[in-house]
Amino acid sequence: MAELKTTNSFGPGVKIGNWNEDLFLQEETLEKIKELNQTGTAPFLVTQTAIETAKEKTSTSASDEKTISFGDQVMVVHFAGSALCSVPSQHAASDDGMMLGGSDTDTTPMKRNTFTVKSYENEKPDGEAICYEDKFILEMAHPSSDKKINMYSERPGLSSPMSRYSGEQRVVLSETSDGEAIVFGSAWKCIAADPEYRLELEGEPIPLRQPVVLVHAQTGQALCCNYQLRQKLRTEFGVDHEVTCCTKMSRAKIEQPENHWLFTT
């Protein structure tokens, strides 16, 4: 009993233990923090650098004022006003590619939302007008490096999981090396938004700032912005809409507003 009284005789404000060891651990932690700050590898510095790099101002360009051509630098904007943007890879697994999101705030030309339209397999030269049903790729600069990435999708399977929130066919940005062949999963085409004029407009140039349906050439699914979905992509850039490949039809067999996009400069 006496031993128990001795053990519990310290008040709540009395510090016991190895004081020198505690001080040493505090000093060691401070040294590690200083080293991370000096080398720029501290997590908050990495995030800040990624934001600044991705939001670097860029310029869009078009060979023609009314139509889109191969080699043009454009933004892909959803009809509701959301710009198609890249989301840094730290929000996805290393083998998961880079996610795409629809941003309501970053709607001015910058590194994370400016695409270069290129002909698939270099079938047509730069400067030539892109027509409905022509296959093209959407390439952009990596938001945190000098590499090139292009918009890619494939049917869900063992090697390609479904999108995070909607469970639909996911769309990512895939890195490509110089000289590397572009896979068919990166090919896209446009069809007219109004199905009544779809056959008549086939083979005609695609107009700028006019609604179109952006279709994945391999799977036939249309690019979709889930702007009405409650779950959002929450990143250091804010809240973005989830972007997938899913053709959403109305009862009249017409693509719904989620599938309507336009090219702007």
Side-chain angles (χ1 to χ4, degrees):
M1 295 295 293
E3 185 177 351
L4 288 175
K5 289 182 180 180
T6 305
T7 304
N8 299 327
S9 60
F10 296 103
V14 178
K15 183 176 181 181
I16 59 175
N18 192 335
W19 295 8
N20 292 331
E21 183 180 5
D22 292 344
L23 292 174
F24 174 77
L25 291 175
Q26 290 179 5
E27 292 176 357
E28 187 178 24
T29 303
L30 289 174
E31 289 297 329
K32 289 181 179 179
I33 294 174
K34 289 180 181 179
E35 183 179 355
L36 290 175
N37 291 337
Q38 291 174 357
T39 57
T41 55
F44 77 94
L45 290 177
V46 173
T47 300
Q48 186 64 31
T49 302
I51 294 175
E52 293 175 355
T53 304
K55 288 197 172 187
E56 287 180 0
K57 299 299 181 182
T58 58
S59 58
T60 55
S61 62
S63 303
D64 190 280
E65 294 182 356
K66 296 182 179 180
T67 60
I68 181 174
S69 305
F70 291 108
D72 288 354
Q73 290 184 322
V74 299
M75 291 193 304
V76 183
V77 180
H78 189 251
F79 95 104
S82 302
L84 193 63
C85 295
S86 64
V87 178
S89 56
Q90 60 240 43
H91 294 282
S94 58
D95 59 345
D96 197 30
M98 183 178 293
M99 296 187 298
L100 273 171
S103 174
D104 291 333
T105 56
D106 295 339
T107 55
T108 56
M110 61 182 64
K111 195 172 182 180
R112 73 181 293 243
N113 64 11
T114 303
F115 291 85
T116 302
V117 188
K118 292 191 174 182
S119 175
Y120 176 66
E121 293 185 341
N122 297 319
E123 295 175 349
K124 296 186 178 181
D126 290 348
E128 184 173 336
I130 304 176
C131 301
Y132 289 104
E133 297 292 338
D134 281 349
K135 294 181 180 63
F136 56 86
I137 63 173
L138 290 171
E139 182 185 85
M140 72 186 313
H142 196 288
S144 58
S145 70
D146 296 331
K147 297 180 179 179
K148 297 293 183 180
I149 48 181
N150 52 66
M151 198 162 72
Y152 172 84
S153 183
E154 63 178 307
R155 202 176 300 276
L158 294 176
S159 61
S160 177
M162 295 182 292
S163 59
R164 179 179 297 180
Y165 299 121
S166 63
E168 298 165 352
Q169 180 178 319
R170 69 173 187 162
V171 185
V172 298
L173 289 165
S174 177
E175 292 185 8
T176 54
S177 303
D178 294 337
E180 183 181 353
I182 303 298
V183 296
F184 193 44
S186 298
W188 302 81
K189 62 180 181 180
C190 286
I191 59 176
D194 190 343
E196 292 186 6
Y197 299 99
R198 195 163 289 171
L199 289 177
E200 297 179 17
L201 292 174
E202 188 172 333
E204 294 293 323
I206 301 172
L208 284 168
R209 295 175 288 276
Q210 292 294 326
V212 296
V213 178
L214 197 56
V215 179
H216 187 235
Q218 186 181 51
T219 61
Q221 293 293 318
L223 190 68
C224 172
C225 179
N226 292 312
Y227 68 101
Q228 293 182 333
L229 194 66
R230 292 183 61 184
Q231 294 92 341
K232 305 296 181 183
L233 300 175
R234 300 184 182 276
T235 71
E236 63 265 41
F237 297 99
V239 178
D240 293 343
H241 306 298
E242 185 184 60
V243 175
T244 62
C245 261
C246 181
T247 305
K248 299 192 176 182
M249 293 286 196
S250 65
R251 292 183 179 180
K253 300 299 181 182
I254 300 175
E255 287 84 4
Q256 301 232 35
E258 287 87 344
N259 297 129
H260 291 176
W261 300 84
L262 48 91
F263 295 95
T264 64
T265 57

